């Protein structure tokens, strides 16, 4: 599954790219909200790790845009302790979860991402079932 | 009492914002060092699989198992170092954000925020309930919001670890139960908020029950707890004129920790603005 990681710190991007690739994710990275916005528009991405504090455009602004475009996209926010208040705001905007930086438990990072991926898969499966059913109904109607 | 100290130079504020700034700057490098240490661990595990295919020959050279244990030691050393730096940064941040300033805090807001932030660790392990006694609705406490939040988050995180130690962590196992109950005790003379956090984890080992609030005593495996959480939480509770204690603990059944904070007699939500209590 594709996962898009957006953070202005290149070393965080690199380390998370390796970490998630080792866990069989197809990782895309973006160094700014703008880069992330473009990748999100071009690629079929449903799972995003998004840093809250970024220069120019904050992660919260991008979160709002993404959720307006597709509320089923799973967005996991990354934040430092200083920005916990923003974390609550991100929850209200529809973020799935948050990860506190620096990460204290890497298993938590993995399980948060895995659970979001599982939700997407369930959602897509339900969608496929629905489409299949519609098609069957249509075929029945047409004899 | 109104605050008339607007824009006054306060050396404490200066140091405090400096420390917060440094803590913030350290966050990012700590994040990628931690992630890279994990990456190394995963990659080395892969490498070990390959190494096992080679026969060990030359007795003069290091054996594969010696190399493996050397790498494990090095990685553990890195993890320990990160843990310690994290701890120092946390302590400084506490110092910076702690201050002496107490404000009036809505009790439900306080617990709700802490549960929202700390409950996340529990969510993946089972279910959590939060109950408020009618007597505490709209009540306030006087204190440092961040410190009190951190204390409750710490209790939730301990509960999550105890559950994980008992049942393991897997999406299919959701046996964990955490109950947070908020009640009013102490009668009208000394009204107190009683915040109890109960879990069905491993419980506290009986030989540690008396020592659990001492610094550096931990039941957690190395690298997961500094052992300072409960001792810090207890001092925060006492700073607020309250208390923190282990109320109940049964081996492999669970534990209940209780945080008590004096309630202010005023109500908040409905009368926050209008009331002019001292």
């Amino acid at each position: 599954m594709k996962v898009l990681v957006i953070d202005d710190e290149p070393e965080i991007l690199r380390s998370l790219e390796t970490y998630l690739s080792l866990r069989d994710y197809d990782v895309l990275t973006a160094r700014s909200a703008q880069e992330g916005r473009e990748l999100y528009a071009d690629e079929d991405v449903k799972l995003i790790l998004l840093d809250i504090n970024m220069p120019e455009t904050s992660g919260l602004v991008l979160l709002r845009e993404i959720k307006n475009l597709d509320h089923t996209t799973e967005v996991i926010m990354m934040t430092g302790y200083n920005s916990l208040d923003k974390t609550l705001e991100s929850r209200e905007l529809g973020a799935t979860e948050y990860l506190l930086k620096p990460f204290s438990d890497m298993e938590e990072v993995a399980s948060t991402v895995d659970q979001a991926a599982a939700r997407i898969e369930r959602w897509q499966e339900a969608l496929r079932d629905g489409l299949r059913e519609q098609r069957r109904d249509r075929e029945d109607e047409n004899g | 009492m109104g605050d008339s100290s607007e824009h006054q130079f306060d050396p404490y504020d200066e140091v405090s914002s400096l420390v917060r700034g440094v803590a913030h700057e350290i966050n990012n490098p700590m994040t990628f060092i931690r992630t890279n240490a994990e990456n190394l661990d995963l990659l080395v595990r892969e490498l070990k699989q390959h190494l096992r295919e080679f026969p060990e020959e030359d007795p003069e050279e290091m054996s594969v198992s010696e190399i493996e244990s050397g790498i494990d030691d090095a990685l553990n050393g890195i993890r320990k170092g990160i843990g310690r730096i994290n701890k120092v940064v946390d302590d400084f941040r506490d110092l910076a954000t702690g201050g002496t300033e107490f404000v009036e805090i809505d009790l439900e807001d306080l617990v709700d925020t802490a549960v929202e932030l700390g409950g996340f660790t529990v969510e993946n392990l089972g279910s959590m309930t939060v109950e408020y006694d009618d007597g505490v609705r709209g009540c306030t406490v006087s204190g440092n919001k961040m410190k009190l939040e951190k204390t409750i988050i710490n209790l939730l995180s301990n509960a999550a670890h105890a559950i994980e130690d008992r049942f393991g962590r897997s999406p299919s196992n959701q046996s964990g139960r955490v109950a947070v109950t908020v009640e009013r005790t102490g009668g009208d003379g000394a009204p107190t908020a009683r915040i109890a956090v109960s879990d069905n984890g491993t419980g506290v080992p009986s030989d540690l029950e008396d020592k659990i609030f001492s610094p550096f005593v931990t039941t957690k495996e190395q690298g997961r707890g500094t052992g300072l959480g409960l001792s810090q939480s207890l001092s925060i509770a006492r700073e607020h004129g309250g208390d923190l204690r282990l109320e109940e603990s049964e081996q492999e059944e669970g534990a209940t920790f209780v945080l008590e904070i004096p309630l202010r007699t005023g109500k908040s939500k409905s009368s926050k603005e209008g009331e002019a209590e001292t």
Side-chain angles (χ1 to χ4, degrees), chain B residues 115-153:
Chain B
V115 165
E116 180 89 357
L117 294 170
F120 153 63
T121 48
V122 181
E123 277 169 20
N124 304 329
L125 299 163
S127 62
M128 176 158 76
T129 55
V130 184
E131 273 178 37
Y132 292 93
D133 166 33
D134 282 342
V136 296
R137 298 266 178 209
C139 287
T140 63
V141 294
S142 168
N144 180 304
K145 190 159 188 271
M146 195 175 242
K147 281 186 170 184
L148 288 175
E149 269 170 23
K150 201 179 162 190
T151 304
I152 301 168
I153 291 172

Side-chain angles (χ1 to χ4, degrees), chain A residues 97-127:
Chain A
E97 274 304 350
Y98 73 95
L99 293 167
L100 205 56
K101 289 200 282 191
F103 305 137
S104 57
D105 179 358
M106 290 305 294
E107 270 304 306
E108 201 169 280
V109 177
S111 70
T112 305
V113 176
D114 289 348
Q115 282 172 18
R119 277 193 295 272
I120 294 167
E121 269 166 12
R122 278 200 298 272
W123 177 255
Q124 287 177 337
E125 185 61 33
L127 206 66

Side-chain angles (χ1 to χ4, degrees), chain B residues 48-158:
Chain B
K48 282 177 185 170
Q49 297 293 332
H50 293 291
L51 285 175
R52 291 212 177 91
E53 289 163 19
F54 292 97
E56 287 179 28
E57 304 236 334
D58 192 347
E60 296 292 310
E61 302 284 335
M62 271 180 102
S63 69
V64 170
S65 61
E66 278 172 329
I67 296 172
E68 284 179 0
S69 90
I71 291 171
D72 287 343
D73 287 349
L75 279 168
N76 280 335
I78 293 173
R79 286 206 189 94
K80 253 186 237 168
I82 298 166
R84 276 201 218 167
I85 297 171
N86 266 348
K87 170 76 191 61
V88 172
V89 174
D90 277 353
D91 284 354
F92 269 111
R93 192 169 31 221
D94 286 350
L95 200 69
T97 51
T100 49
E101 198 188 326
F102 274 29
V103 293
E104 190 175 357
I105 308 161
D106 182 89
L107 181 64
E108 275 183 80
D109 280 352
L110 170 75
V111 177
D112 283 346
T113 308
V115 165
E116 180 89 357
L117 294 170
F120 153 63
T121 48
V122 181
E123 277 169 20
N124 304 329
L125 299 163
S127 62
M128 176 158 76
T129 55
V130 184
E131 273 178 37
Y132 292 93
D133 166 33
D134 282 342
V136 296
R137 298 266 178 209
C139 287
T140 63
V141 294
S142 168
N144 180 304
K145 190 159 188 271
M146 195 175 242
K147 281 186 170 184
L148 288 175
E149 269 170 23
K150 201 179 162 190
T151 304
I152 301 168
I153 291 172
N154 182 34
L155 293 179
L156 292 170
S157 147
N158 285 347

Side-chain angles (χ1 to χ4, degrees), chain B residues 163-176:
Chain B
I163 288 169
E164 200 178 330
D165 287 345
R166 183 174 171 201
F167 300 107
R169 180 192 278 273
S170 92
S172 57
N173 194 339
Q174 299 288 306
S175 313

Side-chain angles (χ1 to χ4, degrees), chain B:
Chain B
M1 294 284 276
D3 183 10
S4 60
S5 59
E6 239 180 302
H7 302 306
Q8 257 179 10
F9 176 78
D10 180 345
Y12 179 84
D13 278 352
E14 296 297 310
V15 174
S16 155
S17 76
L18 180 72
V19 170
R20 276 202 303 270
V22 171
H24 178 67
E25 287 309 314
I26 290 175
N27 264 353
N28 275 351
M30 288 302 295
T31 304
F32 62 77
I33 293 172
R34 180 77 186 82
T35 313
N36 279 318
E38 197 63 24
N39 290 344
L40 262 181
D41 195 13
L42 293 167
L43 288 165
V44 166
R45 256 185 263 166
E46 291 285 323
L47 189 64
K48 282 177 185 170
Q49 297 293 332
H50 293 291
L51 285 175
R52 291 212 177 91
E53 289 163 19
F54 292 97
E56 287 179 28
E57 304 236 334
D58 192 347
E60 296 292 310
E61 302 284 335
M62 271 180 102
S63 69
V64 170
S65 61
E66 278 172 329
I67 296 172
E68 284 179 0
S69 90
I71 291 171
D72 287 343
D73 287 349
L75 279 168
N76 280 335
I78 293 173
R79 286 206 189 94
K80 253 186 237 168
I82 298 166
R84 276 201 218 167
I85 297 171
N86 266 348
K87 170 76 191 61
V88 172
V89 174
D90 277 353
D91 284 354
F92 269 111
R93 192 169 31 221
D94 286 350
L95 200 69
T97 51
T100 49
E101 198 188 326
F102 274 29
V103 293
E104 190 175 357
I105 308 161
D106 182 89
L107 181 64
E108 275 183 80
D109 280 352
L110 170 75
V111 177
D112 283 346
T113 308
V115 165
E116 180 89 357
L117 294 170
F120 153 63
T121 48
V122 181
E123 277 169 20
N124 304 329
L125 299 163
S127 62
M128 176 158 76
T129 55
V130 184
E131 273 178 37
Y132 292 93
D133 166 33
D134 282 342
V136 296
R137 298 266 178 209
C139 287
T140 63
V141 294
S142 168
N144 180 304
K145 190 159 188 271
M146 195 175 242
K147 281 186 170 184
L148 288 175
E149 269 170 23
K150 201 179 162 190
T151 304
I152 301 168
I153 291 172
N154 182 34
L155 293 179
L156 292 170
S157 147
N158 285 347
H161 285 150
I163 288 169
E164 200 178 330
D165 287 345
R166 183 174 171 201
F167 300 107
R169 180 192 278 273
S170 92
S172 57
N173 194 339
Q174 299 288 306
S175 313
R177 299 283 173 270
V178 175
V180 180
T181 49
V182 186
E183 292 167 321
R184 186 187 178 111
T185 58
D188 287 338
T192 303
R194 180 186 188 279
I195 304 162
V197 177
S198 304
D199 65 67
N200 64 342
T202 48
V204 178
S206 49
D207 56 326
L208 285 182
E209 277 182 25
D210 298 335
K211 295 183 240 164
I212 195 124
F213 292 100
S214 310
F216 304 109
V217 172
T218 181
T219 59
K220 298 173 189 174
E221 68 195 50
Q222 227 171 358
R224 206 162 60 162
T226 58
L228 276 166
L230 279 172
S231 78
Q232 269 181 341
S233 298
L234 176 61
S235 31
I236 291 172
R238 287 186 177 157
E239 262 173 54
H240 288 79
D243 193 23
L244 176 66
R245 59 176 186 279
L246 171 64
E247 195 173 73
E248 225 180 331
S249 173
E250 283 292 330
Q251 291 299 297
E252 297 304 316
E253 281 186 23
T256 300
F257 282 89
V258 172
L259 168 67
E260 285 180 336
I261 319 162
L263 276 175
R264 286 175 63 101
T265 44
K267 296 270 175 182
S268 76
K269 284 184 178 161
S270 53
S271 52
K272 210 186 276 177
E273 300 301 321
E275 221 160 64
E277 279 198 336
T278 49

